[in-house]
Amino acid sequence: MSDPMEEKKTRASAWFAELRDKVTTAFEAIEDELPASAGLGDRPAGRFVKTPWQRTDHSGAHGGGGMMAQMVGRVFEKVGVHISTVHGEFSPEFRKDIPGAEEDPRFWASGVSLIAHMHNPHVPAAHMNTRMVVTSRQWFGGGADLTPVLDRRRTQDDPDTIDFHAAMKTACDAHAVADYARYKTWCDEYFFLKHRNEARGIGGIFYDWLNSGDWEADFAFTRDVGLAFLAIYPKLVRRNFLTPWSDAEREEQLVRRGRYVEFNLIYDRGTVFGLKTGGNVASILSSMPPVAKWP
């Protein structure tokens, strides 16, 4: 008799790979569209380079792996769309931080993670990830958020902000297991640089430990988070990628990216999880922007 949880693991990991393929195809299409007359349009269109990796857990046992997909292009200065499916045992010092791990240190986790840093300062940076985790418990988590890099665009009444929030709200409202107001607040509170008393971006949604008791419903919502991001973010890129930018705006972008680095290295739970479970360092830290400044 087949194990129902094993079937769910297979379906979830297959979906994360499928979403990766959908996103990389969409982003490469954007690379193709930049006119030669636009800034950097004379460069060749970027293409994703896929690099597989494997891991061992703290005991040295094989523990799964993943696939990095990274592109350096003429619209996307650096974008990664990575998938991973890992398993093993949590190290003793990390077990207390993970629900269900103190009862049983074994775990399985699969997900897709995306971070996009753009050449044009008028195009917001973006982040999206969704995942399924199994310990002695099981849950989904993830979300999507937007980070405009120009101060005048970091407002709640900017058209990009309005449309991004609307897309995330639509994804949540279609599912009884999702709570948009809670997830929006959770995102605002999570993506916040306490030492600077400022938000990383303009928000989005963030959720974790989602287990409503209906796995199919939770999985359907998690899929729609990815699809909602795929529907809205390319529109925002196309809306802005032909806007001319100045040296001053590029400087502002690089300083804002420094804040992004600070958040990911100090507060981001995904970074900590990856590093403490023996994940691929290059993949984990690929969220770092290619160039940043601290004035």
Side-chain angles (χ1 to χ4, degrees), residues 67-141:
M67 179 77 73
M68 291 181 61
Q70 192 156 300
M71 178 170 69
V72 175
R74 53 189 186 172
V75 178
F76 295 86
E77 189 169 2
K78 179 185 178 184
V79 56
V81 190
H82 309 316
I83 56 172
S84 64
T85 300
V86 298
H87 57 86
E89 289 191 2
F90 288 117
S91 60
E93 67 273 14
F94 194 40
R95 293 171 189 174
K96 67 182 187 311
D97 300 324
I98 304 296
E102 288 191 292
E103 296 90 333
D104 186 334
R106 292 174 296 176
F107 77 94
W108 177 96
S110 184
V112 58
S113 180
L114 175 157
I115 176 64
H117 296 289
M118 317 304 291
H119 279 291
N120 191 323
H122 295 276
V123 183
H127 161 257
M128 182 276 295
N129 81 85
T130 52
R131 58 192 175 272
M132 174 178 158
V133 182
V134 181
T135 60
S136 58
R137 310 179 194 180
Q138 178 273 315
W139 67 90
F140 288 96

Side-chain angles (χ1 to χ4, degrees), residues 23-24 27 48 68-72 76-83 112-118 124-130 143-149 191 200 229 233 257 260-261 263-264 268 271 282-290:
V23 171
T24 55
F27 285 2
F48 280 92
M68 291 181 61
Q70 192 156 300
M71 178 170 69
V72 175
F76 295 86
E77 189 169 2
K78 179 185 178 184
V79 56
V81 190
H82 309 316
I83 56 172
V112 58
S113 180
L114 175 157
I115 176 64
H117 296 289
M118 317 304 291
H127 161 257
M128 182 276 295
N129 81 85
T130 52
D145 62 286
L146 198 68
T147 303
V149 297
F191 291 106
R200 185 173 86 168
F229 178 87
Y233 188 60
R257 284 179 175 177
Y260 208 99
V261 171
F263 178 87
N264 280 20
D268 187 68
T271 300
S283 180
I284 296 163
L285 297 183
S286 70
S287 62
M288 297 299 120

Side-chain angles (χ1 to χ4, degrees), residues 200-252:
R200 185 173 86 168
I202 56 81
I205 60 171
F206 180 85
Y207 67 103
D208 210 353
W209 309 302
L210 174 62
N211 184 334
S212 68
D214 184 339
W215 187 89
E216 293 291 350
D218 298 345
F219 184 39
F221 166 62
T222 295
R223 290 197 306 268
D224 275 359
V225 171
L227 292 173
F229 178 87
L230 177 61
I232 187 59
Y233 188 60
K235 291 181 181 178
L236 303 185
V237 176
R238 291 184 171 97
R239 177 185 292 173
N240 293 287
F241 75 162
L242 294 180
T243 304
W245 74 84
S246 66
D247 290 343
E249 288 167 334
R250 174 64 172 175
E251 183 75 9
E252 187 177 350

